[in-house]
Amino acid sequence: MKQDAFSAGVEPGGLWHKNDIRILLCYILASVDAPLSRGDLTRIVQEKRLANYFEVEDALASLIAQGNVEQDAQGLCAATKAGREIANSLDATLPLSVRDKALEAALTLLAEERSHRENRVEVVPQEGGYQVTCHISGGEGMELMAVSLYVPDSAQAELVRQRFYQAPDRVYKLLLASLTGDREMAQSILEERGE
């Protein structure tokens, strides 16, 4: 089959056919079973260099116009029944590596969004640096822990914020293990991260 999509920015093994890009978008939305914004869908595909940005935007507009994807007032997209049928019947036409990469990126994005919703970081400028306070939620308004630390500059404050959001559960477990003297648990958490 002749390539009919732009391939700029697409890694070898990525998608160079418009129809494949439409199938991939339906597959992502059907697989995660959660609404995603247009920007999130584009980011998922672009992050893994699976398809050209303009082709993804064009494919998404086409899927919405054809009723395979619906977009709500907040701009969130979800697969319709027809879109799910496309995903279920045609996903095998996509390379397994493309499906795996796209699904991994989508699930990572959803986990990050959940982490940001359930936990929070406050960065307050102080004389000569920043006070960073990380709050870990236990759900339903319950705060499990808050830890505050001083860092000398905004770059370190941003690094702490980013790293915290990547794995607030690990931060909690590691601090709990340290405070209770559970060296075995602390060691297993560090080994899990490869440190």
Side-chain angles (χ1 to χ4, degrees), residues 59-108:
L60 190 52
S62 173
L63 288 168
I64 292 169
Q66 295 171 0
N68 298 313
V69 170
E70 58 190 7
Q71 187 174 13
D72 67 14
Q74 288 80 36
L76 297 175
C77 298
T80 62
K81 184 179 178 188
R84 290 179 186 281
E85 288 174 8
I86 289 170
N88 292 334
S89 61
L90 298 175
D91 68 344
T93 63
L94 300 173
L96 180 60
S97 62
V98 168
R99 286 181 283 163
D100 287 349
K101 286 178 184 178
L103 194 54
E104 175 191 353
L107 293 174
T108 299

Short mmCIF file of all heavy atoms in Angstrom, two decimals, residues 59-108:
data_model
loop_
_atom_site.label_atom_id
_atom_site.label_comp_id
_atom_site.label_asym_id
_atom_site.label_seq_id
_atom_site.Cartn_x
_atom_site.Cartn_y
_atom_site.Cartn_z
N ALA A 59 -6.79 13.40 11.08
CA ALA A 59 -7.49 12.14 11.33
C ALA A 59 -8.53 12.31 12.43
O ALA A 59 -9.65 11.79 12.33
CB ALA A 59 -6.48 11.05 11.70
N LEU A 60 -8.19 13.03 13.48
CA LEU A 60 -9.12 13.24 14.58
C LEU A 60 -10.33 14.06 14.11
O LEU A 60 -11.48 13.73 14.45
CB LEU A 60 -8.41 13.93 15.74
CG LEU A 60 -9.17 14.00 17.05
CD1 LEU A 60 -9.68 12.63 17.49
CD2 LEU A 60 -8.29 14.59 18.13
N ALA A 61 -10.09 15.10 13.32
CA ALA A 61 -11.20 15.90 12.78
C ALA A 61 -12.11 15.04 11.92
O ALA A 61 -13.34 15.15 11.99
CB ALA A 61 -10.65 17.08 11.98
N SER A 62 -11.52 14.16 11.14
CA SER A 62 -12.29 13.25 10.28
C SER A 62 -13.13 12.28 11.11
O SER A 62 -14.30 12.04 10.82
CB SER A 62 -11.33 12.48 9.37
OG SER A 62 -12.01 11.49 8.65
N LEU A 63 -12.53 11.72 12.17
CA LEU A 63 -13.26 10.78 13.03
C LEU A 63 -14.43 11.47 13.73
O LEU A 63 -15.51 10.87 13.89
CB LEU A 63 -12.31 10.17 14.06
CG LEU A 63 -11.30 9.16 13.52
CD1 LEU A 63 -10.23 8.86 14.57
CD2 LEU A 63 -12.00 7.88 13.08
N ILE A 64 -14.24 12.71 14.14
CA ILE A 64 -15.31 13.47 14.79
C ILE A 64 -16.43 13.75 13.78
O ILE A 64 -17.62 13.55 14.07
CB ILE A 64 -14.78 14.77 15.44
CG1 ILE A 64 -13.87 14.41 16.63
CG2 ILE A 64 -15.92 15.68 15.86
CD1 ILE A 64 -13.07 15.60 17.17
N ALA A 65 -16.05 14.19 12.59
CA ALA A 65 -17.04 14.50 11.55
C ALA A 65 -17.84 13.27 11.14
O ALA A 65 -19.04 13.37 10.84
CB ALA A 65 -16.33 15.10 10.33
N GLN A 66 -17.22 12.10 11.15
CA GLN A 66 -17.89 10.86 10.75
C GLN A 66 -18.65 10.19 11.90
O GLN A 66 -19.30 9.17 11.69
CB GLN A 66 -16.87 9.87 10.17
CG GLN A 66 -16.25 10.34 8.90
CD GLN A 66 -15.08 9.46 8.46
OE1 GLN A 66 -14.73 8.49 9.11
NE2 GLN A 66 -14.48 9.82 7.33
N GLY A 67 -18.54 10.75 13.10
CA GLY A 67 -19.27 10.19 14.24
C GLY A 67 -18.60 9.00 14.90
O GLY A 67 -19.24 8.28 15.67
N ASN A 68 -17.31 8.79 14.63
CA ASN A 68 -16.58 7.70 15.27
C ASN A 68 -15.99 8.12 16.61
O ASN A 68 -15.67 7.29 17.44
CB ASN A 68 -15.47 7.20 14.35
CG ASN A 68 -16.02 6.64 13.06
OD1 ASN A 68 -16.96 5.87 13.07
ND2 ASN A 68 -15.45 7.07 11.94
N VAL A 69 -15.81 9.43 16.76
CA VAL A 69 -15.31 10.01 18.01
C VAL A 69 -16.22 11.20 18.32
O VAL A 69 -16.58 11.95 17.42
CB VAL A 69 -13.84 10.47 17.88
CG1 VAL A 69 -13.40 11.30 19.07
CG2 VAL A 69 -12.92 9.28 17.68
N GLU A 70 -16.59 11.33 19.59
CA GLU A 70 -17.38 12.49 19.99
C GLU A 70 -16.53 13.38 20.88
O GLU A 70 -15.71 12.90 21.65
CB GLU A 70 -18.67 12.07 20.69
CG GLU A 70 -18.48 11.21 21.91
CD GLU A 70 -19.79 10.63 22.43
OE1 GLU A 70 -20.82 10.79 21.78
OE2 GLU A 70 -19.74 10.03 23.51
N GLN A 71 -16.75 14.69 20.73
CA GLN A 71 -16.02 15.67 21.52
C GLN A 71 -17.04 16.48 22.32
O GLN A 71 -17.98 17.02 21.76
CB GLN A 71 -15.20 16.58 20.61
CG GLN A 71 -14.29 17.51 21.34
CD GLN A 71 -13.39 18.29 20.39
OE1 GLN A 71 -13.60 18.33 19.18
NE2 GLN A 71 -12.39 18.94 20.93
N ASP A 72 -16.84 16.54 23.65
CA ASP A 72 -17.80 17.26 24.50
C ASP A 72 -17.44 18.75 24.58
O ASP A 72 -16.47 19.21 23.96
CB ASP A 72 -17.91 16.62 25.88
CG ASP A 72 -16.64 16.76 26.72
OD1 ASP A 72 -15.74 17.55 26.37
OD2 ASP A 72 -16.54 16.05 27.75
N ALA A 73 -18.22 19.49 25.35
CA ALA A 73 -18.04 20.94 25.46
C ALA A 73 -16.69 21.33 26.04
O ALA A 73 -16.16 22.40 25.77
CB ALA A 73 -19.16 21.54 26.30
N GLN A 74 -16.11 20.45 26.87
CA GLN A 74 -14.79 20.73 27.46
C GLN A 74 -13.65 20.34 26.52
O GLN A 74 -12.49 20.48 26.86
CB GLN A 74 -14.62 19.97 28.78
CG GLN A 74 -15.44 20.52 29.93
CD GLN A 74 -16.88 20.05 29.87
OE1 GLN A 74 -17.16 18.93 29.48
NE2 GLN A 74 -17.80 20.92 30.25
N GLY A 75 -13.98 19.79 25.36
CA GLY A 75 -12.97 19.40 24.39
C GLY A 75 -12.44 17.99 24.58
O GLY A 75 -11.46 17.60 23.96
N LEU A 76 -13.09 17.21 25.45
CA LEU A 76 -12.65 15.83 25.68
C LEU A 76 -13.25 14.92 24.63
O LEU A 76 -14.43 15.02 24.29
CB LEU A 76 -13.05 15.36 27.08
CG LEU A 76 -12.42 16.13 28.23
CD1 LEU A 76 -12.98 15.64 29.56
CD2 LEU A 76 -10.90 15.99 28.20
N CYS A 77 -12.42 14.01 24.12
CA CYS A 77 -12.83 13.08 23.07
C CYS A 77 -13.03 11.68 23.63
O CYS A 77 -12.27 11.25 24.50
CB CYS A 77 -11.77 13.03 21.97
SG CYS A 77 -11.51 14.61 21.15
N ALA A 78 -14.04 10.98 23.09
CA ALA A 78 -14.30 9.60 23.47
C ALA A 78 -14.74 8.84 22.23
O ALA A 78 -15.36 9.42 21.33
CB ALA A 78 -15.37 9.53 24.55
N ALA A 79 -14.43 7.56 22.20
CA ALA A 79 -14.84 6.73 21.07
C ALA A 79 -16.34 6.46 21.17
O ALA A 79 -16.85 6.14 22.25
CB ALA A 79 -14.07 5.42 21.06
N THR A 80 -17.05 6.59 20.06
CA THR A 80 -18.46 6.23 20.02
C THR A 80 -18.54 4.72 19.82
O THR A 80 -17.51 4.04 19.70
CB THR A 80 -19.17 6.94 18.86
OG1 THR A 80 -18.58 6.50 17.63
CG2 THR A 80 -19.08 8.46 18.98
N LYS A 81 -19.75 4.20 19.73
CA LYS A 81 -19.93 2.76 19.47
C LYS A 81 -19.25 2.38 18.15
O LYS A 81 -18.56 1.37 18.07
CB LYS A 81 -21.42 2.42 19.44
CG LYS A 81 -21.69 0.95 19.26
CD LYS A 81 -23.17 0.63 19.26
CE LYS A 81 -23.35 -0.86 19.03
NZ LYS A 81 -24.76 -1.21 18.83
N ALA A 82 -19.43 3.22 17.14
CA ALA A 82 -18.80 2.96 15.84
C ALA A 82 -17.27 3.00 15.96
O ALA A 82 -16.57 2.18 15.34
CB ALA A 82 -19.28 3.97 14.81
N GLY A 83 -16.76 3.94 16.74
CA GLY A 83 -15.31 4.03 16.93
C GLY A 83 -14.75 2.81 17.64
O GLY A 83 -13.67 2.33 17.33
N ARG A 84 -15.51 2.30 18.62
CA ARG A 84 -15.09 1.08 19.34
C ARG A 84 -15.09 -0.13 18.40
O ARG A 84 -14.23 -0.99 18.47
CB ARG A 84 -15.99 0.81 20.54
CG ARG A 84 -15.79 1.81 21.64
CD ARG A 84 -16.72 1.53 22.83
NE ARG A 84 -16.61 2.57 23.82
CZ ARG A 84 -15.63 2.66 24.70
NH1 ARG A 84 -14.67 1.78 24.70
NH2 ARG A 84 -15.59 3.64 25.57
N GLU A 85 -16.08 -0.18 17.51
CA GLU A 85 -16.13 -1.27 16.54
C GLU A 85 -14.93 -1.22 15.61
O GLU A 85 -14.35 -2.25 15.27
CB GLU A 85 -17.44 -1.22 15.75
CG GLU A 85 -18.64 -1.63 16.58
CD GLU A 85 -19.97 -1.44 15.86
OE1 GLU A 85 -19.96 -1.12 14.64
OE2 GLU A 85 -21.01 -1.61 16.51
N ILE A 86 -14.55 -0.02 15.20
CA ILE A 86 -13.35 0.14 14.36
C ILE A 86 -12.13 -0.39 15.11
O ILE A 86 -11.34 -1.16 14.57
CB ILE A 86 -13.15 1.61 13.95
CG1 ILE A 86 -14.21 2.04 12.95
CG2 ILE A 86 -11.75 1.85 13.40
CD1 ILE A 86 -14.25 3.54 12.67
N ALA A 87 -11.99 0.04 16.36
CA ALA A 87 -10.85 -0.39 17.17
C ALA A 87 -10.83 -1.90 17.34
O ALA A 87 -9.79 -2.54 17.18
CB ALA A 87 -10.88 0.30 18.53
N ASN A 88 -11.97 -2.48 17.66
CA ASN A 88 -12.02 -3.93 17.91
C ASN A 88 -11.80 -4.77 16.68
O ASN A 88 -11.20 -5.84 16.75
CB ASN A 88 -13.37 -4.31 18.55
CG ASN A 88 -13.51 -3.76 19.95
OD1 ASN A 88 -12.52 -3.52 20.64
ND2 ASN A 88 -14.74 -3.55 20.38
N SER A 89 -12.27 -4.30 15.53
CA SER A 89 -12.15 -5.12 14.33
C SER A 89 -10.88 -4.87 13.53
O SER A 89 -10.42 -5.75 12.81
CB SER A 89 -13.38 -4.95 13.43
OG SER A 89 -13.50 -3.61 13.01
N LEU A 90 -10.29 -3.68 13.68
CA LEU A 90 -9.14 -3.34 12.83
C LEU A 90 -7.84 -3.12 13.58
O LEU A 90 -6.81 -2.88 12.94
CB LEU A 90 -9.46 -2.10 12.00
CG LEU A 90 -10.64 -2.23 11.03
CD1 LEU A 90 -10.92 -0.90 10.36
CD2 LEU A 90 -10.36 -3.30 9.98
N ASP A 91 -7.83 -3.20 14.91
CA ASP A 91 -6.59 -2.91 15.64
C ASP A 91 -5.47 -3.86 15.26
O ASP A 91 -4.30 -3.50 15.30
CB ASP A 91 -6.82 -2.88 17.14
CG ASP A 91 -7.16 -4.24 17.73
OD1 ASP A 91 -7.54 -5.15 16.97
OD2 ASP A 91 -7.06 -4.38 18.96
N ALA A 92 -5.78 -5.08 14.86
CA ALA A 92 -4.74 -6.05 14.49
C ALA A 92 -4.01 -5.65 13.21
O ALA A 92 -2.94 -6.18 12.92
CB ALA A 92 -5.35 -7.44 14.35
N THR A 93 -4.57 -4.70 12.44
CA THR A 93 -3.88 -4.24 11.23
C THR A 93 -2.71 -3.31 11.58
O THR A 93 -1.85 -3.09 10.74
CB THR A 93 -4.84 -3.50 10.27
OG1 THR A 93 -5.33 -2.32 10.92
CG2 THR A 93 -6.00 -4.40 9.86
N LEU A 94 -2.71 -2.81 12.80
CA LEU A 94 -1.61 -1.94 13.25
C LEU A 94 -0.49 -2.80 13.81
O LEU A 94 -0.74 -3.83 14.45
CB LEU A 94 -2.10 -1.00 14.36
CG LEU A 94 -3.23 -0.04 14.01
CD1 LEU A 94 -3.69 0.69 15.26
CD2 LEU A 94 -2.79 0.93 12.94
N PRO A 95 0.75 -2.39 13.62
CA PRO A 95 1.86 -3.14 14.22
C PRO A 95 1.72 -3.19 15.74
O PRO A 95 1.32 -2.20 16.37
CB PRO A 95 3.10 -2.34 13.82
CG PRO A 95 2.68 -1.52 12.64
CD PRO A 95 1.21 -1.25 12.83
N LEU A 96 2.04 -4.33 16.32
CA LEU A 96 1.94 -4.51 17.77
C LEU A 96 2.78 -3.47 18.51
O LEU A 96 2.36 -2.93 19.53
CB LEU A 96 2.37 -5.93 18.16
CG LEU A 96 2.31 -6.27 19.65
CD1 LEU A 96 0.88 -6.12 20.17
CD2 LEU A 96 2.83 -7.68 19.89
N SER A 97 3.95 -3.16 17.99
CA SER A 97 4.82 -2.19 18.66
C SER A 97 4.16 -0.81 18.71
O SER A 97 4.28 -0.10 19.71
CB SER A 97 6.17 -2.09 17.95
OG SER A 97 6.01 -1.63 16.62
N VAL A 98 3.43 -0.44 17.67
CA VAL A 98 2.73 0.85 17.65
C VAL A 98 1.61 0.84 18.68
O VAL A 98 1.45 1.79 19.45
CB VAL A 98 2.16 1.14 16.24
CG1 VAL A 98 1.20 2.31 16.26
CG2 VAL A 98 3.30 1.40 15.26
N ARG A 99 0.83 -0.23 18.72
CA ARG A 99 -0.25 -0.33 19.71
C ARG A 99 0.30 -0.26 21.13
O ARG A 99 -0.23 0.46 21.98
CB ARG A 99 -1.04 -1.62 19.52
CG ARG A 99 -1.94 -1.59 18.29
CD ARG A 99 -2.71 -2.87 18.15
NE ARG A 99 -1.81 -3.89 17.62
CZ ARG A 99 -2.02 -5.19 17.65
NH1 ARG A 99 -3.09 -5.68 18.22
NH2 ARG A 99 -1.16 -6.02 17.11
N ASP A 100 1.38 -1.01 21.39
CA ASP A 100 1.97 -1.03 22.73
C ASP A 100 2.50 0.33 23.14
O ASP A 100 2.27 0.79 24.26
CB ASP A 100 3.09 -2.07 22.81
CG ASP A 100 2.57 -3.50 22.82
OD1 ASP A 100 1.34 -3.71 22.97
OD2 ASP A 100 3.41 -4.42 22.65
N LYS A 101 3.21 1.00 22.24
CA LYS A 101 3.76 2.32 22.55
C LYS A 101 2.65 3.33 22.82
O LYS A 101 2.74 4.14 23.75
CB LYS A 101 4.64 2.82 21.40
CG LYS A 101 5.97 2.15 21.30
CD LYS A 101 6.75 2.67 20.10
CE LYS A 101 8.06 1.96 19.91
NZ LYS A 101 8.78 2.46 18.72
N ALA A 102 1.63 3.31 21.99
CA ALA A 102 0.52 4.26 22.15
C ALA A 102 -0.22 4.02 23.46
O ALA A 102 -0.54 4.97 24.19
CB ALA A 102 -0.44 4.15 20.97
N LEU A 103 -0.48 2.77 23.77
CA LEU A 103 -1.21 2.45 25.00
C LEU A 103 -0.38 2.79 26.23
O LEU A 103 -0.89 3.35 27.20
CB LEU A 103 -1.60 0.97 25.01
CG LEU A 103 -2.63 0.56 26.05
CD1 LEU A 103 -3.88 1.41 25.98
CD2 LEU A 103 -2.99 -0.90 25.88
N GLU A 104 0.92 2.52 26.17
CA GLU A 104 1.81 2.87 27.29
C GLU A 104 1.80 4.38 27.53
O GLU A 104 1.68 4.85 28.66
CB GLU A 104 3.24 2.40 27.00
CG GLU A 104 4.25 2.83 28.05
CD GLU A 104 5.69 2.59 27.63
OE1 GLU A 104 5.94 1.96 26.58
OE2 GLU A 104 6.58 3.04 28.36
N ALA A 105 1.90 5.15 26.46
CA ALA A 105 1.90 6.61 26.58
C ALA A 105 0.56 7.12 27.12
O ALA A 105 0.53 8.02 27.96
CB ALA A 105 2.21 7.25 25.23
N ALA A 106 -0.54 6.54 26.67
CA ALA A 106 -1.86 6.96 27.13
C ALA A 106 -2.05 6.65 28.61
O ALA A 106 -2.55 7.48 29.37
CB ALA A 106 -2.95 6.28 26.30
N LEU A 107 -1.66 5.46 29.03
CA LEU A 107 -1.82 5.08 30.43
C LEU A 107 -0.91 5.90 31.34
O LEU A 107 -1.31 6.27 32.45
CB LEU A 107 -1.56 3.58 30.61
CG LEU A 107 -2.60 2.67 29.95
CD1 LEU A 107 -2.20 1.21 30.06
CD2 LEU A 107 -3.99 2.90 30.50
N THR A 108 0.29 6.22 30.87
CA THR A 108 1.20 7.08 31.63
C THR A 108 0.59 8.47 31.79
O THR A 108 0.62 9.04 32.88
CB THR A 108 2.57 7.17 30.93
OG1 THR A 108 3.14 5.87 30.86
CG2 THR A 108 3.51 8.11 31.65
#
